Amino acid sequence: MTTPNESDYDLLTEHFGYPPVALLDDIINTVNVLADRALDSVERVLLSLPPSKLGFKVRKTKDSSSGDGKDDDGSVSAEEAARREIENGAHQLETLLNAAIDKNFDIFELYTMNNILTIDKKTQPFIKLSHYEGLDLTKHPDKPTTGSITALRRRLQASQKLQMALEAERSKNDVLLRKLRRAVEMPTVKEEPVEGGAAADKAPAGHALGFLHDKGTLEQGGTDKPIATTAEFALSQLQSLRMLSSSLTALLPQLTAMGDGLESTEEAGEGTGSQASWRRERSEYIESASRKYLERSVGLELGSQGEVRDGEWQGGGPSATKSEVEGLERMSSILGGMARTGNTDDDGDEVMT
């Protein structure tokens, strides 16, 4: 089946409210249904007729046929032969009719799609459907602009960059998870035979965090026997503690050598008058800042080693402004007037008494 141009097909679909092919399919399906009904009617009519009218010879002797549709001599009876012939003929007629319908209606469909359900190319630009009237697509709020397209492009680039960063982070996390899984694997105990046939227990040759899986008998413990549970837990961690202790003991010589090297480096720097280390610079800065604060703010007079010379106040203290002095004078005059008024009242009361 050939269809018209895509734009014509969409326009017809929008105009009709359904695809044009659906109309042709309904017509063909209706014809097929009518053909099936006609074939069923023909078959029923032929089966209702007696075999003699269809040209089959019927024997008149009674009890000449058995219940399975065959005569005594084994030949097929007239009724059975007529039924089989009718069914075979109906099937052949159905096949021929369906083939004829398919052939002719394919031609009908092609003709309809190319000549009836089509739009002339000259008139297509001038066709306007009824629901398109009054529409102004030039002022649509969702009309794309250069700015909106640029913003979408930037968002796309940002999302792609974020996806790449997330993929990189996921790969890093996968590597870290694999390392952690290897680190918490169960340690395996290797036993080597010794003299006398006994096996010597060696330290677990596993990973440093393998003891996390070794729960011992803690699952069987509980709150009924807390002391026993705590003791079992401590015993279960002894082997791991021994491993950590041995590893730290192996690192002690290296740490001692590093400390000696640092001390020798500092002594060499002091002997040659080189720049002090950052620790010394920090202590000198703290000392100088503390000295400045004590001398300027507190008013102490310090010696060369930071000691107080006489232990007394050496500064003049904060100076008072003119407004503060005037305020103090007014306050003193007010307090003096209140004191005199109180004395006068007391004398008057005594006289009256």
Side-chain angles (χ1 to χ4, degrees), residues 131-167:
H131 55 275
Y132 284 167
E133 296 180 358
L135 292 179
D136 188 7
L137 301 179
T138 58
K139 299 180 180 180
H140 198 273
D142 297 334
K143 183 179 179 181
T145 59
T146 305
S148 62
I149 294 173
T150 305
L152 288 175
R153 186 180 292 110
R154 290 178 179 175
R155 289 178 60 185
L156 177 60
Q157 293 175 356
S159 62
Q160 291 176 349
K161 186 182 295 184
L162 178 61
Q163 184 179 3
M164 294 175 62
L166 291 176
E167 289 292 337

Side-chain angles (χ1 to χ4, degrees), residues 7-20 129 131-132:
S7 59
D8 298 346
Y9 190 80
D10 295 339
L11 184 61
L12 290 173
T13 302
E14 189 173 0
H15 175 63
F16 292 139
Y18 55 86
L129 300 179
H131 55 275
Y132 284 167

Side-chain angles (χ1 to χ4, degrees), residues 235-274:
L235 291 175
S236 65
Q237 304 301 319
L238 284 178
Q239 190 63 38
S240 302
L241 292 175
R242 289 195 188 98
M243 294 174 60
L244 294 175
S245 177
S246 60
S247 61
L248 292 175
T249 304
L251 292 175
L252 282 177
Q254 299 178 4
L255 296 175
T256 305
M258 292 174 62
D260 295 340
L262 291 175
E263 291 179 358
S264 61
T265 303
E266 291 181 358
E267 291 176 357
E270 291 177 358
T272 56
S274 61

Side-chain angles (χ1 to χ4, degrees), residues 4-5 7-13 15 113-127 129:
N5 191 12
S7 59
D8 298 346
Y9 190 80
D10 295 339
L11 184 61
L12 290 173
T13 302
H15 175 63
M113 295 298 296
N114 293 328
N115 298 281
I116 299 176
L117 298 177
T118 185
I119 299 175
D120 189 6
K121 294 182 180 180
K122 296 180 180 180
T123 60
Q124 181 183 5
F126 304 99
I127 295 176
L129 300 179

